[in-house]
Amino acid sequence: MTDSGSSPDRDRTDRAEDDLLAAVADDGADTPGPDPLDGVWDVVVVGAGPAGSSAAYAAAVQGRRVLLLDKAEHPRYKTCGGGIIGPSRDSLPPDFKLPLQDRIHAVTFALTGKWSRTRRSERMLFGLVNRDEFDLRLVQAAEQAGAVLVTGVTVTGVEQKGGDTRTVTVTTADGRAVTARAVVGADGSASRVGRHVGVTFDQIDLGLEAEIPVPEAVSRAWAGRIHLDWGPLPGSYGWVFPKTDSGTLTVGVISARGDGERTKQYLADYIGQLGLAGFPAAIESGHLTRCRAEDSPLSRGRVLVAGDAAGLLEPWTREGISYALRSGRLAGEWAVKVAEASGAADVRRQALNYAFAIKAGLGVEMRAGKVMLGAFERRPYLFHAAVCLVNPAWRAFARTTQGHTTFAQVMRDYRAARRLASMAAR
């Protein structure tokens, strides 16, 4: 018969083994693991929004060692209407699945809450997403391509030495230093990296937004349709973007910075006009959008900037997702070339090529957008009448959102568009 009891000697042996295991565990807990930021990275991307994730993806798919840094954990809320127009869709990684909340086929236009008209399209105009879901999937695509994501890291500066130095140092708030052969700044419109590059802006706007949960009947009434209101302040407009799957309406307004109280009142009035004042907002937020000056730099040494950090967005509509995706992809591709550059002259050449690629595409579109905004600020009613009553103007609007044309191409190819802009600017 086996004795199931314990002897004093056995108890002492068991306690000794337990003490040994505990000591090993404590020793392992006190020994720090390797710092994920260590080593020399081919490309370091600062900011994991659409521009940063696109840059990290573009560099990682080329087999380079890529580090993607962000101060926030994903998913996280982002103030944004979440409209995915044609150029955004066409710039996504292959096999990327859009987490669409709604598919838009109709637009109701209004002029300061009056003279409403709804225009419809058989083909989808664009899709709507929640930015937390969309940004998370972009980050995951970059990771799947091989990029290393580290969150909870706040970048405080960038250091480059003169001469033919082959690396850049990115400094963090906790005192660490990250070494890279090339850096992409995609850390938003208040970018620390953009400050290092010397980005300047000639247009700053204030956007205010409310996420309003609504009953299912209200949500379904908005399904497939957005609302655009040409606002009472110069260059202002408001929007309702339905996030039907999650039962919320994103309601926002934007206007030039400098009159925050009137912009705030515009949002309150707009919500009231829409009959939504009785539904409390779950989130109320605001942000500044910044458009780059024409001569603003896009690089400095081995550092490139993209997206909001570079001031790249559409000046009239202030649409930024497509600009972030497109500039981020280009920044990632050219960052690889900068990382491989053999000397200072080669670095300058590759950085200039990146700037040329941005200016030849997005820069042309931004110039047309500035013309449109200038005219819209003076004569918003002409734009309202055109898009509501003139079929070619509506078709141009629809084709632009679908990605078949751009404002720059419309201005170039259609004399009526040039005449409208000229009349409005008088």
Side-chain angles (χ1 to χ4, degrees), residues 73-387:
E73 299 281 347
H74 285 260
R76 82 284 188 268
Y77 178 78
K78 179 76 173 179
T79 302
C80 179
I84 305 299
I85 61 176
S88 300
R89 180 201 60 228
D90 296 341
S91 300
L92 294 168
D95 302 322
F96 185 92
K97 293 185 178 180
L98 276 166
L100 291 179
Q101 288 281 318
D102 208 334
R103 293 167 171 80
I104 301 305
H105 288 263
V107 183
T108 298
F109 297 98
L111 180 64
T112 61
K114 304 172 185 176
W115 299 295
S116 296
R117 183 174 181 185
T118 299
R119 306 297 304 257
R120 300 184 183 277
S121 170
E122 291 185 4
R123 298 185 59 187
M124 187 176 84
L125 298 168
F126 55 92
L128 297 178
V129 298
N130 286 326
R131 280 290 303 276
D132 54 353
E133 298 173 327
F134 178 67
D135 289 13
L136 176 60
R137 292 198 184 186
L138 285 173
V139 166
Q140 291 171 339
E143 289 185 288
Q144 290 167 5
V148 175
L149 171 69
V150 179
T151 58
V153 176
T154 299
V155 169
T156 55
V158 180
E159 297 177 1
Q160 297 189 81
K161 297 179 181 178
D164 193 18
T165 303
R166 302 296 178 91
T167 59
V168 183
T169 300
V170 175
T171 57
T172 67
D174 58 5
R176 289 184 287 178
V178 187
T179 304
R181 295 186 177 90
V183 170
V184 175
D187 48 336
S189 62
S191 169
R192 292 292 186 96
V193 182
R195 226 172 295 167
H196 170 79
V197 168
V199 176
T200 58
F201 310 99
D202 62 8
Q203 177 185 330
I204 303 178
D205 298 292
L206 171 64
L208 301 177
E209 199 167 80
E211 298 284 352
I212 304 177
V214 293
E216 183 177 357
V218 176
S219 177
R220 291 297 168 190
W222 279 95
R225 176 176 65 96
I226 69 166
H227 191 280
L228 294 178
D229 177 73
W230 313 124
L233 305 174
S236 68
Y237 76 97
W239 63 88
V240 180
F241 284 4
K243 309 298 173 59
T244 305
D245 285 358
S246 56
T248 62
L249 300 177
T250 300
V251 184
V253 300
I254 195 164
S255 67
R257 184 182 69 167
D259 204 344
E261 286 303 316
R262 291 183 68 194
T263 304
K264 185 177 180 181
Q265 187 61 49
Y266 175 28
L267 177 59
D269 292 344
Y270 185 42
I271 290 173
Q273 291 165 4
L274 294 165
L276 300 174
F279 304 111
I283 300 174
E284 295 178 300
S285 60
H287 69 292
L288 295 176
T289 64
R290 296 175 169 92
C291 281
R292 69 187 294 270
E294 183 96 19
D295 59 352
S296 178
L298 292 161
S299 67
R300 177 181 174 185
R302 291 179 174 269
V303 180
L304 312 178
V305 285
D308 286 344
L312 293 167
L313 72 157
E314 205 289 308
W316 178 30
T317 65
R318 287 80 154 189
E319 190 277 325
I321 294 178
S322 74
Y323 280 69
L325 292 169
R326 289 182 284 173
S327 65
R329 176 176 51 81
L330 289 171
E333 292 171 354
W334 288 104
V336 170
K337 299 179 187 296
V338 168
E340 295 174 342
S342 56
D346 197 12
V347 168
R348 285 194 296 272
R349 181 165 53 252
Q350 302 303 342
L352 284 171
N353 286 337
Y354 167 67
F356 178 80
I358 291 291
K359 292 175 182 178
L362 299 180
V364 171
E365 294 180 30
M366 289 186 71
R367 281 195 294 275
K370 287 181 185 292
V371 172
M372 298 283 279
L373 175 63
F376 176 71
E377 288 174 334
R378 292 173 175 82
R379 305 285 191 273
Y381 58 87
L382 289 180
F383 285 80
H384 182 65
V387 78

